[in-house]
């Protein structure tokens, strides 16, 4: 496992981050979840990502339990705050009240005194940025948070936060961004990536496999695989349904020879692809089985040749989405993704 600096900060993260969205506490049994985390540790993964809203806190609890016997300083734990964790008007957003209370609750569930990276899960239009940034800065000053990040913020939102933090003279600064990014979904490339490269903000990207579609296991004209996310309970099917169009599935199958050429599985090719930009610090993988973690972790350290990257672009062609207005709109896919085959 190789490690990269998180932007221009002094923190190093593993190229593969293990994340537990839609799995721990929701789709995956506890024993299996613990086995997946152990597989990540065995593969050299040191960075783990979760959020207070994942399974309404259960995901943080499982992760904390799994890492309880691991030397705390040997891992980097990231969690998030913003999305609703209850029915009350203050159980969401980036108000000072919700940030402080959610951080304390996350620390309890994770069984730790601090988190390495605390991220604003979405932008909050209702709360002044100044209020949010000061609350985050206070947590850093108290030693409960070491580094700050955002997730699915637009370039103007990130830029405004950086400017306001500087104007306020805050010690802490945004050093990480967690966007959705994969071969098909490249909406951060026109605006977010250039800004972050200029400002020294590292990307910790999620959905490198596009909900598993880029593994090639979903094939056009065939029944959905049993025990897959598409056929599971919970919320997973609603997310994956957006990438199950016949044209898209057919095009993904054309990537198989390219993966074979590179000596990689299709999943490894997809994860390795996200790690090619220098501004990407880590790619988040999830798993429902330990062997998936082991397979995908192989993508760390893989450098894809330029001609292979060009061939991937040629195959996916008009299906690639680079529309910057779709940041934080993961369900707003291109209509072509779901069009029937001619």
């Amino acid at each position: 496992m190789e490690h990269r600096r998180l932007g221009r900060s002094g923190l190093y993260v593993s190229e593969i981050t293990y994340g537990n969205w839609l799995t721990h506490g929701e789709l995956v049994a506890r024993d299996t979840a613990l086995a997946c985390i152990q597989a990540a540790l065995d593969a050299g993964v040191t960075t783990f990502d979760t959020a207070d809203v994942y399974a309404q806190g259960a995901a943080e609890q499982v992760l904390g339990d799994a890492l309880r016997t691991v030397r705390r300083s040997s891992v980097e734990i990231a969690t998030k705050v913003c999305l609703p964790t209850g029915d009350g008007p203050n159980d969401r957003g980036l108000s000072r009240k919700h940030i402080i209370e959610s951080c304390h609750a996350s620390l309890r569930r994770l069984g730790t005194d601090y988190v390495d990276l605390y991220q604003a899960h979405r932008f909050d239009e209702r709360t002044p940025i100044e209020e949010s940034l000061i609350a985050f800065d206070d947590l850093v000053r108290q030693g409960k948070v070491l580094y700050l990040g955002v997730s699915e913020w637009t370039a103007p939102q990130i830029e405004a936060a950086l400017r306001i933090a500087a104007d306020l003279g805050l010690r802490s600064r945004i050093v990480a961004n967690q966007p959705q990014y994969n071969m098909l979904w490249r909406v951060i490339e026109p605006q977010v990536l250039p800004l972050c490269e200029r400002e020294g903000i590292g990307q910790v990207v999620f959905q490198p496999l596009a909900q598993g579609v880029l593994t090639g296991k979903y094939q056009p004209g065939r029944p959905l695989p049993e025990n897959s996310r598409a056929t599971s309970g919970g919320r997973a099917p609603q997310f994956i349904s957006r990438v199950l169009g016949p044209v898209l599935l057919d095009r993904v199958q054309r990537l198989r020879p390219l993966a074979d050429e590179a000596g990689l599985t299709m999943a490894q090719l997809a994860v390795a692809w996200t790690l090619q930009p220098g501004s990407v610090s880590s790619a988040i993988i999830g798993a429902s089985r330990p062997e998936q973690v082991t397979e995908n972790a192989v993508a760390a350290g893989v450098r894809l040749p330029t001609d292979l990257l060009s061939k991937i672009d040629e195959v996916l062609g008009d299906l690639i989405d680079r529309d910057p207005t779709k940041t934080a709109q993961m369900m707003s896919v291109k209509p072509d993704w779901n069009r029937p085959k001619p």
Side-chain angles (χ1 to χ4, degrees), residues 158-184:
I158 296 172
E159 193 166 31
L162 294 173
R163 183 184 67 253
I164 291 170
D167 290 345
L168 292 172
L170 302 181
R171 291 184 183 179
S172 56
R173 189 177 190 273
I174 294 169
V175 300
N177 178 45
Q178 186 175 130
Q180 180 184 186
Y181 186 56
N182 55 55
M183 292 178 182
L184 292 163

Side-chain angles (χ1 to χ4, degrees), residues 302-317:
V302 173
R303 301 297 175 261
L304 301 178
T306 303
D307 63 328
L308 179 57
L309 296 174
S310 297
K311 290 177 183 177
I312 291 171
D313 287 354
E314 290 173 8
V315 168
L316 297 179

Side-chain angles (χ1 to χ4, degrees), residues 59-71:
E60 287 182 324
Q61 184 70 55
V62 172
L63 180 61
D65 291 346
L67 298 178
R68 201 83 68 194
T69 60
V70 176
R71 182 167 58 90

Side-chain angles (χ1 to χ4, degrees), residues 97-325:
K97 176 177 174 63
H98 188 54
I99 289 173
I100 300 299
E101 291 178 348
S102 290
C103 181
H104 290 163
S106 290
L107 293 177
R108 286 194 299 271
R109 287 189 292 263
L110 289 164
T112 182
D113 295 329
Y114 68 93
V115 291
D116 298 272
L117 178 63
Y118 202 34
Q119 303 155 103
H121 209 157
R122 292 293 186 272
F123 187 79
D124 181 6
E125 298 280 359
R126 304 177 311 162
T127 303
I129 300 181
E130 292 89 342
E131 178 179 336
S132 305
L133 293 175
I134 291 171
F136 282 125
D137 191 62
D138 286 344
L139 289 171
V140 172
R141 289 170 182 259
Q142 294 165 14
K144 296 173 182 176
V145 170
L146 302 188
Y147 297 90
L148 298 179
V150 298
S151 178
E152 293 284 76
W153 283 29
T154 65
Q157 289 165 350
I158 296 172
E159 193 166 31
L162 294 173
R163 183 184 67 253
I164 291 170
D167 290 345
L168 292 172
L170 302 181
R171 291 184 183 179
S172 56
R173 189 177 190 273
I174 294 169
V175 300
N177 178 45
Q178 186 175 130
Q180 180 184 186
Y181 186 56
N182 55 55
M183 292 178 182
L184 292 163
W185 189 263
R186 310 187 193 180
V187 303
I188 63 171
E189 289 181 345
Q191 297 178 2
V192 172
L193 277 187
L195 169 68
C196 289
E197 288 173 356
R198 186 169 68 248
E199 296 293 341
I201 296 172
Q203 310 300 303
V204 181
V205 305
F206 70 94
Q207 287 200 33
L209 300 178
Q211 286 290 301
V213 169
L214 291 175
T215 66
K217 65 183 176 183
Y218 300 99
Q219 300 188 29
R222 295 190 182 182
L224 298 174
E226 293 184 7
N227 300 318
S228 67
R229 284 195 178 188
T231 56
S232 66
R235 298 171 298 149
Q238 70 175 300
F239 289 104
I240 198 170
S241 63
R242 68 198 173 99
V243 285
L244 292 178
V247 168
L248 187 147
L249 294 182
D250 177 73
R251 203 76 65 85
V252 168
Q253 290 303 315
R254 300 183 200 176
L255 295 173
R256 195 175 295 278
L258 302 184
D260 293 340
E261 175 187 328
L264 302 169
T265 66
M266 290 184 68
Q268 290 165 350
L269 177 69
V271 175
W273 183 92
T274 66
L275 290 168
Q276 299 311 298
S279 58
V280 173
S281 300
S282 186
I284 301 173
I285 63 168
S288 56
R289 300 188 305 276
E291 54 267 28
Q292 293 174 328
V293 181
T294 304
E295 174 189 347
N296 294 340
V298 173
V302 173
R303 301 297 175 261
L304 301 178
T306 303
D307 63 328
L308 179 57
L309 296 174
S310 297
K311 290 177 183 177
I312 291 171
D313 287 354
E314 290 173 8
V315 168
L316 297 179
D318 60 331
L319 296 186
I320 297 171
D321 201 332
R322 295 187 175 90
D323 183 353
T325 67

